[in-house]
Amino acid sequence: MGTHARETSRRRYEHAGFALVDDTLLVPTHHSLRALDAETGTTRWQYAYQRPSARYNEQTQLDSEPQVRDGVVYLVFQTTVCALDLETRRLRWRYDLNSSADGCWLFGTTLYVTARVDSEYRLVALDAETGLERWRRTARDSVLAADSGLVVVADYDAGRVTGLVPETGTERWMSDTAVSASSLSRGEVVIVDDHVFVITADGDLTALEAATGDRRWTISGGTDEHTMMDTLAVDPSARAVYWSRTDKGTITRFDITGELVWETDRSSVEFGISVGNGTVYASTGDGLLALEADTGNERFHVSPAGIEDGSLGCTPLIADDRVYHCLGATVYEVGSR
């Protein structure tokens, strides 16, 4: 295996990961989006949004990870949703909010954003091509997952998991399941076929019926509270769900019915897990861990040199035979050479 790394500006923990477009890796930093050459790691360009009302040289914080569709990357810079053309680096459109966003999710041709709009908290569905509103819902609902027939949100204060109709925002169901309002994260809720998997506020793993929100099964996490750093990854083809628990230092595979397949102890597991090409990639305190998806056996563990202790990781990005990861201010690639 081979690795190479390049330094970037300080990343925020809330950024779950990157995006890869052709041979360009899009990396969110504290105040800008950085585009790296995916082969060499060198910086191609950097984009920072300057609010019209900002003072000279005042920096605007980047509050979302990059989400890409048809040559456009969607970002939230504090109180502004931006659609940036990747070829020209010019804004296609922008949408102004009255507060920073609680969440931003792109699915298909719709961008879902939660923030204060017109002095009230709204969940707003925007047309990804034009930036025009498709619908709005008066609620502080953070979008956690979406597919063609369902948008899963959670109330920011109560954390109640709710299913909405994507085309209208109409409530389809509300579950008695709750997630931690202080850590609403897209890494904690995933949709597979007719299941919605949720890491609950008390640290359990629960499977809901996607059509109704009814519970199918619950697996205890062995704690009484959410750790804020647990993450899920799913492999639809294998009908498998992978659960990384930092408090217990474990990675576990279940099948879609809740049956345990394997569990492995990994004391250094951090936030972030992905699965692809028969491999589970997990962020650790000192780098990147790769496990065989079928057995949980270790394939390799990469620890880049020169990383400060306590550096935060992210969700690994799988791209063919390469994987991109970051630890602290260092972005690096792992792949066959």
Side-chain angles (χ1 to χ4, degrees):
M1 306 300 294
T3 67
H4 56 264
R6 291 292 185 274
E7 292 298 312
T8 69
S9 301
R10 182 169 68 90
R11 293 182 65 256
R12 300 178 64 234
Y13 152 68
E14 291 86 351
H15 295 158
F18 323 121
L20 183 66
V21 183
D22 297 326
D23 59 351
T24 300
L25 184 67
L26 302 176
V27 180
T29 69
H30 193 48
H31 292 107
S32 65
L33 179 71
R34 180 166 292 182
L36 306 181
D37 184 300
E39 289 296 324
T40 66
T42 56
T43 299
R44 287 179 166 172
W45 51 265
Q46 190 166 344
Y47 178 83
Y49 176 72
Q50 186 78 14
R51 290 179 297 162
S53 60
R55 294 178 299 230
Y56 175 73
N57 210 27
E58 180 182 350
Q59 293 183 306
T60 303
Q61 183 169 290
L62 176 57
D63 287 330
S64 72
E65 65 185 72
Q67 299 180 64
V68 181
R69 178 182 179 273
D70 293 342
V72 178
V73 59
Y74 300 90
L75 303 160
V76 179
F77 284 91
Q78 285 183 309
T79 60
T80 305
V81 183
C82 297
L84 179 69
D85 189 295
L86 287 172
E87 184 176 353
T88 65
R89 263 93 75 193
R90 295 181 180 274
L91 289 183
R92 290 269 190 96
W93 54 260
R94 75 179 197 197
Y95 183 92
D96 292 324
L97 311 168
N98 297 135
S99 71
S100 58
D102 288 334
C104 177
W105 183 283
L106 175 68
F107 188 84
T109 62
T110 305
L111 190 69
Y112 303 95
V113 182
T114 307
R116 290 184 71 89
V117 179
D118 298 336
S119 300
E120 289 192 76
Y121 278 107
R122 318 269 191 185
L123 172 59
V124 181
L126 304 176
D127 185 293
E129 181 66 27
T130 64
L132 298 177
E133 281 191 28
R134 289 182 166 168
W135 51 260
R136 62 169 60 185
R137 171 182 166 93
T138 302
R140 195 175 183 182
D141 287 338
S142 294
V143 179
L144 303 178
D147 72 1
S148 57
L150 182 68
V151 175
V152 178
V153 304
D155 176 86
Y156 184 86
D157 296 314
R160 293 282 293 278
V161 178
T162 304
L164 305 179
V165 177
E167 294 80 11
T168 62
T170 305
E171 184 177 303
R172 175 172 290 175
W173 49 257
M174 178 179 287
S175 172
D176 60 354
T177 301
V179 296
S180 176
S182 63
S183 59
L184 298 177
S185 166
R186 55 188 294 176
E188 298 166 358
V189 177
V190 291
I191 301 174
V192 181
D193 297 333
D194 55 350
H195 291 70
V196 178
F197 296 101
V198 180
I199 299 175
T200 65
D202 54 7
D204 297 338
L205 175 62
T206 291
L208 306 178
E209 175 73 45
T212 64
D214 295 336
R215 292 193 187 214
R216 286 189 165 182
W217 49 260
T218 295
I219 296 170
S220 173
T223 62
D224 295 326
E225 61 182 1
H226 190 286
T227 67
M228 295 179 62
M229 296 291 279
D230 289 11
T231 47
L232 298 175
V234 294
D235 183 352
S237 63
R239 295 176 64 82
V241 56
Y242 300 86
W243 183 12
S244 174
R245 284 176 280 182
T246 59
D247 60 320
K248 295 187 68 176
T250 61
I251 298 174
T252 311
R253 171 176 169 166
F254 298 93
D255 68 21
I256 209 166
T257 65
E259 182 178 350
L260 175 67
V261 178
W262 55 256
E263 181 171 277
T264 180
D265 291 329
R266 300 289 169 176
S267 60
S268 61
V269 168
E270 295 274 351
F271 173 85
I273 185 172
S274 300
V275 58
N277 301 326
T279 305
V280 177
Y281 297 96
S283 182
T284 67
D286 61 353
L288 182 69
L289 172 69
L291 306 176
E292 292 181 2
D294 289 339
T295 65
N297 295 332
E298 182 172 326
R299 293 189 59 197
F300 62 85
H301 188 186
V302 173
S303 299
I307 304 298
E308 295 181 4
D309 292 339
S311 296
L312 293 173
C314 68
T315 302
L317 173 65
I318 302 170
D320 298 325
D321 62 345
R322 296 173 294 173
V323 179
Y324 298 95
H325 187 235
C326 113
L327 199 61
T330 300
V331 176
Y332 60 97
E333 174 200 273
V334 177
S336 58
R337 287 286 183 265

